[in-house]
Amino acid sequence: MNWQAIKAIYVFEMSRTFRTLAQSVISPVLSTVLYFVVFGAAIGGRIQSVEGIGYGAFIVPGLIMLTLLQQSVTNASFGIYFPKFIGTIYELLSAPMSFMEIVIGYVGAAASKAIMIALIIMATSTLFVDLDIRHPLWMIAFLLLTAVSFALLGFIIGIWAGSFEQLQLIPLLVITPLVFLGGAFYSVSMLPEFWQAVTKLNPVLYLISGFRWAFFGVADVPVGLSIAAVCTFLALCLGLIWLIFRTGWKIRP
Amino acid sequence: MAAIISVSALSKRYAKGPTALEGVSLDIEEGEILALLGPNGAGKTTLISAICGLVRPTSGTVTVAGHDIVTDYRAARALIGLVPQDISIEPFERVINTTRFSRGLFGKPRDDAHIERVLKALSLWDRRKARNMELSGGMKRRVLIAKALAHEPRILFLDEPTAGVDVSLRKDMWALVRRLRDDGVTIILTTHYIEEAEEMADRIGIMDKGRLLLVEEKARLMHQLGRKALCLFLQEPLDSLPPALAGHALKLGEGGRTLTFEYDTAAGRTGITRLLADLAAAGIAVRDLETRQSSLEQIFLNLLEEAA
């Protein structure tokens, strides 16, 4: 295992985060505050509570998930797309490192950054609502597993993308809608029965539900299903990555 | 000298498109400077890319210091530094960090003393804190070299190191390559510029259409394939070639004041003695003479014509 190489990539990627601290951290925090103002204060004031939880607190796990998914996907996809775009990927390919080591470096950095921002948002949210976390270890486990799985997905997107437009496509067209429709801001039980069934096809529902369970002990789907869903997704992404590297798809002709 | 890189029957075919490499076999000796010459699309870059791990060979094998580049890629690649043809460089990162990053990628622990040596040797030390995008083109190319040298490779690939580089910088680059060779680094460079190969290389490989047409020591190549031209400047101009000299392959220059005779230096008899004797017999007085060695450029063009 070429640990030096993993460390080099990780440090390099993280330094990019700190170099662009304003875009990297301030903008997600600002948009979260906006969500709180709009959903929590303006609309939440009329909703009172969902499943016995104040609406302001209820949306916190959904908000964190929204940012976590967006951040891990965009960080990882950009992280590997950029060297591909400017050509510096030659160095990764000529270095004595395996594809898995490249993935660990980029995905590790992307997931770290996403978790960092998730924690900042969590801290920001305590300014607005009282949070008490029922299952802190599970909360961290969900945070980690989700960040890593979606960073893997982002990595795959970064390898696949042939342009900056394509890079934005999946986060914008797939992930954001899935999060919004996955019960980030409402409980699925509030929907008519038919739409409840449809929502259960949305994989993101299981992530948000599990994450919310870790906070409040309340879930839309059994927590076991949530864990199974994250692990399945993780396995799926790992399998895809393995396939990409075996065939050298798009990077090593 | 032992071969440090052994390429054997290496081919690369793309699913769509032409064959990029066709059965290339080549031994690169430790400590030499090998120049790969050839027109655009000859396969020089593909050959380098295959050895360095950027491209997966369709068939054939390559070993680097005995390590197979596929089954034992870590050991093989750790010995190699690659300077690509295009200036691909992280624009926002600082020179010293990019160089450190490269060393890390190759599995070496941080060594600031070595990085300092490399940057100083490339006259980049003063600009170490500059962002890569602030550098001039020549400096960016030197940063690429610094990155390639950051992990102390034993072999350095330079893909068109002087493309688009001005004359004085090109001379600096040559001096640098010689210094590296003196330190024992094996250097493989590709170039368009024949003069560059002529100036630098110990051996020259000529590629065209994915094939390696020949690899030869530069001096021997020029000797073997070189033709010389003997130019005779005459006292009195001639209107036409006298019949007595018809047996010689002579060209009468403009104004009838010069005669040019081309001969093969490798041939047993060059025909010069007989020519001079015949000239004297015909009463043609020679004022001066000069001989010209044909350049590598001509050799190169001749080879390509023969191959076509």
Side-chain angles (χ1 to χ4, degrees):
Chain A
M1 204 68 170
N2 188 347
W3 291 108
Q4 288 289 349
I6 296 175
K7 190 179 124 193
I9 293 178
Y10 187 87
V11 169
F12 199 82
E13 283 296 294
M14 291 311 276
S15 81
R16 193 160 55 88
T17 304
F18 293 116
R19 195 170 55 222
T20 54
L21 203 65
Q23 297 105 290
S24 298
V25 177
I26 295 173
S27 67
V29 170
L30 184 73
S31 61
T32 309
V33 171
L34 286 177
Y35 278 118
F36 268 116
V37 171
V38 175
F39 287 106
I43 298 173
R46 295 158 188 260
I47 296 184
Q48 299 309 325
S49 72
V50 180
E51 316 228 348
I53 304 152
Y55 186 69
F58 180 85
I59 64 168
V60 171
L63 264 180
I64 294 174
M65 268 295 159
L66 174 67
T67 312
L68 190 70
L69 297 194
Q70 283 172 338
Q71 284 291 319
S72 33
V73 169
T74 36
N75 291 339
S77 61
F78 188 79
I80 189 67
Y81 179 76
F82 196 57
K84 225 177 66 171
F85 178 71
I86 61 173
T88 53
I89 194 160
Y90 83 87
E91 210 178 12
L92 295 172
L93 297 177
S94 67
M97 58 190 310
S98 71
F99 212 85
M100 259 316 141
E101 287 155 358
I102 298 179
V103 173
I104 295 171
Y106 279 102
V107 166
S112 304
K113 183 180 161 191
I115 289 173
M116 223 171 66
I117 292 168
L119 293 176
I120 291 173
I121 289 172
M122 206 183 295
T124 314
S125 68
T126 57
L127 300 177
F128 297 89
V129 291
D130 285 329
L131 273 186
D132 107 87
I133 302 164
R134 287 267 193 96
H135 310 283
L137 286 182
W138 278 112
M139 191 275 287
I140 290 166
F142 271 113
L143 212 57
L144 272 174
L145 281 171
T146 310
V148 169
S149 320
F150 279 78
L152 284 170
L153 175 69
F155 192 89
I156 296 168
I157 293 170
I159 297 270
W160 160 79
S163 65
F164 278 101
E165 285 74 23
Q166 289 183 344
L167 206 59
Q168 305 285 344
L169 208 64
I170 294 197
L172 224 60
L173 288 186
V174 181
I175 293 176
T176 309
L178 283 185
V179 177
F180 272 85
L181 301 174
F185 302 109
Y186 54 85
S187 164
V188 180
S189 58
M190 294 156 89
L191 296 175
E193 222 163 280
F194 172 74
W195 290 109
Q196 280 192 33
V198 172
T199 306
K200 295 222 163 121
L201 296 174
N202 178 355
V204 176
L205 166 76
Y206 297 85
L207 297 178
I208 295 175
S209 165
F211 197 52
R212 188 172 286 137
W213 171 85
F215 277 82
F216 310 119
V218 180
D220 288 327
V221 291
V223 67
L225 266 182
S226 293
I227 295 166
V230 186
C231 293
T232 310
F233 189 67
L234 185 67
L236 210 69
C237 289
L238 281 174
L240 256 175
I241 293 242
W242 179 79
L243 211 68
I244 286 175
F245 285 134
R246 235 180 62 97
T247 55
W249 183 64
K250 293 247 184 183
I251 41 170
R252 187 175 273 146
Chain B
M1 279 193 287
I4 192 161
I5 295 181
S6 223
V7 180
S8 154
L10 193 70
S11 292
K12 176 66 190 174
R13 284 174 214 102
Y14 291 102
K16 299 169 232 166
T19 302
L21 281 181
E22 183 69 57
V24 172
S25 293
L26 167 69
D27 275 348
I28 299 167
E29 284 159 16
E30 175 138 37
E32 74 170 332
I33 298 180
L34 175 74
L36 291 172
L37 270 174
N40 282 326
K44 306 180 299 275
T45 300
T46 311
L47 175 60
I48 288 184
S49 301
I51 298 172
C52 293
L54 306 186
V55 161
R56 296 142 60 98
T58 312
S59 61
T61 57
V62 180
T63 60
V64 179
H67 306 288
D68 186 276
I69 57 157
V70 178
T71 57
D72 197 6
Y73 67 91
R74 282 183 203 268
R77 288 186 203 163
L79 301 172
I80 296 177
L82 167 65
V83 181
Q85 186 173 337
D86 303 318
I87 297 183
S88 310
I89 198 167
E90 237 283 342
F92 310 109
E93 199 49 78
R94 295 183 197 282
V95 170
I96 192 159
N97 291 341
T98 348
T99 316
R100 276 193 194 124
F101 171 70
S102 302
R103 184 176 170 87
L105 276 190
F106 279 74
K108 294 262 176 132
R110 188 169 160 166
D111 180 349
D112 285 343
H114 176 71
I115 300 290
E116 184 177 339
R117 266 198 307 280
V118 168
L119 291 180
K120 279 187 172 157
L122 289 158
S123 318
L124 287 168
W125 183 246
D126 294 338
R127 302 300 311 272
R128 65 189 178 278
K129 290 194 177 142
R131 294 189 196 284
N132 289 327
M133 59 182 178
E134 299 162 4
L135 303 178
S136 69
M139 279 187 163
K140 282 182 188 151
R141 207 170 269 283
R142 296 211 300 275
V143 173
L144 290 182
I145 298 178
K147 283 161 75 67
L149 293 174
H151 67 281
E152 301 158 71
R154 277 170 63 199
I155 304 158
L156 185 67
F157 283 92
L158 293 160
D159 199 354
E160 307 255 353
T162 54
V165 165
D166 69 36
V167 181
S168 79
L169 243 124
R170 199 179 299 170
K171 294 256 154 74
D172 288 350
M173 196 75 79
W174 293 349
L176 171 76
V177 169
R178 283 203 194 89
R179 277 207 306 277
L180 287 169
R181 197 261 310 267
D182 294 342
D183 290 344
V185 179
T186 306
I187 290 155
I188 298 96
L189 58 91
T190 70
T191 182
H192 272 0
Y193 303 109
I194 313 246
E195 47 164 328
E196 188 158 275
E198 207 167 337
E199 175 84 23
M200 309 273 304
D202 299 312
R203 287 200 306 158
I204 292 171
I206 295 182
M207 293 190 74
D208 190 37
K209 302 193 177 82
R211 289 174 191 277
L212 186 63
L213 301 179
L214 97 168
V215 190
E216 189 61 88
E217 270 172 42
K218 180 181 64 185
R220 197 183 299 167
L221 182 70
M222 301 193 60
H223 177 73
Q224 273 185 1
L225 296 169
R227 293 181 72 79
K228 269 194 162 180
L230 172 67
C231 191
L232 302 159
F233 300 91
L234 308 178
Q235 285 292 17
E236 301 294 334
L238 290 175
D239 294 331
S240 60
L241 273 179
L245 299 173
H248 302 282
L250 278 175
K251 261 186 278 178
L252 189 62
E254 240 174 88
R257 287 194 172 273
T258 58
L259 281 172
T260 314
F261 174 62
E262 273 199 30
Y263 62 99
D264 192 341
T265 51
R269 290 167 168 273
T270 56
I272 294 175
T273 320
R274 216 164 55 81
L275 171 68
L276 292 177
D278 287 350
L279 277 171
I284 298 171
V286 175
R287 183 169 52 85
D288 198 0
L289 55 81
E290 93 181 1
T291 65
R292 272 185 302 233
Q293 176 93 48
S294 57
S295 70
L296 196 49
E297 178 138 19
Q298 281 164 297
I299 299 175
F300 178 66
L301 290 173
N302 289 346
L303 252 175
L304 290 187
E305 269 169 29
E306 276 171 35

